[in-house]
Amino acid sequence: MLEPHPGDYVLEGTALFLVHPHQRVDTALSAALRATVRVSDARPPYQDISFAVQQLTEMAVRAVSPGTNDPYTAINALDDLTAGLTRLVSRDLPSPDRADHTGTRRVHAPRTDPCDLITEVLDAMRWYAPANPGVMHATLGLLDHLAPAATSPKVRAHLIAHLDLLQEAFISHPRGLGGDLPRRGYGLF
């Protein structure tokens, strides 16, 4: 079993694999397993979806900070997140298990749950978007695209929960922007 997720921070000496039975581990197997992973000083966004989502979310949050106040950059980051996450939720994810030619499970490689990625984006936007109607609109646009594309009932339920949280944040925002969010097509109802 592969222990860390792609992008996880590991220290020298950290176990990357659990092998069962452990008696099978020898120099050749250790070398073969090490050859299947890449350890580097930086997280590459093209191999680590969590990092790509984190970077774009950070860009959106920083853009709407009072010191920057650049909603258009935040909206562009949300548009990029919308494109990537829509593709992700519209697919059936492969099993984290890999089997040999006889069907025996040989490798379990953990994968990132789309709900965790969605939460990362929407939690951040729930804190920062209500102060900026354009950014809130782009955040709702993300939901508007994800909901009809989602193939998983779990993801759809997750989106509904986040829509309710965004509604709460919008209504209770101290700038007085309260009132109901426009209920567009969201594909959730």
Side-chain angles (χ1 to χ4, degrees), residues 21-38:
H22 70 276
Q23 295 85 356
R24 290 184 137 173
V25 178
D26 59 16
T27 305
L29 180 60
S30 292
L33 289 173
R34 275 195 303 276
T36 66
V37 296
R38 179 173 169 234

Side-chain angles (χ1 to χ4, degrees), residues 52-184:
V53 168
Q54 177 191 358
Q55 292 291 292
L56 286 167
T57 303
E58 242 179 72
M59 185 184 303
V61 167
R62 287 181 182 173
V64 294
S65 70
T68 305
N69 195 20
D70 180 11
Y72 297 105
T73 296
I75 291 166
N76 286 333
L78 285 164
D79 287 345
D80 289 344
L81 285 161
T82 298
L85 290 173
T86 299
R87 286 186 69 195
L88 178 66
V89 301
S90 68
R91 298 175 177 179
D92 291 328
L93 296 178
S95 169
D97 297 323
R98 303 295 180 264
D100 65 14
H101 67 283
T102 67
T104 302
R105 182 174 101 164
R106 295 295 179 188
V107 175
H108 176 83
R111 63 172 188 231
T112 303
D113 185 340
C115 290
D116 293 341
L117 299 174
I118 291 166
T119 295
E120 183 172 343
V121 174
L122 295 178
D123 278 355
M125 291 300 99
R126 188 171 74 245
W127 284 102
Y128 298 101
N132 189 304
V135 176
M136 180 59 95
H137 182 75
T139 303
L140 294 171
L142 175 99
L143 286 170
D144 203 22
H145 285 87
L146 292 180
T151 59
S152 162
K154 175 185 168 192
V155 169
R156 290 177 63 80
H158 198 70
L159 293 170
I160 291 169
H162 274 286
L163 180 60
D164 291 341
L165 292 170
L166 284 166
Q167 172 85 14
E168 260 180 58
F170 190 72
I171 290 171
S172 64
H173 191 271
R175 271 183 135 182
L177 298 175
D180 286 344
L181 291 172
R183 295 274 180 163
R184 300 181 344 194

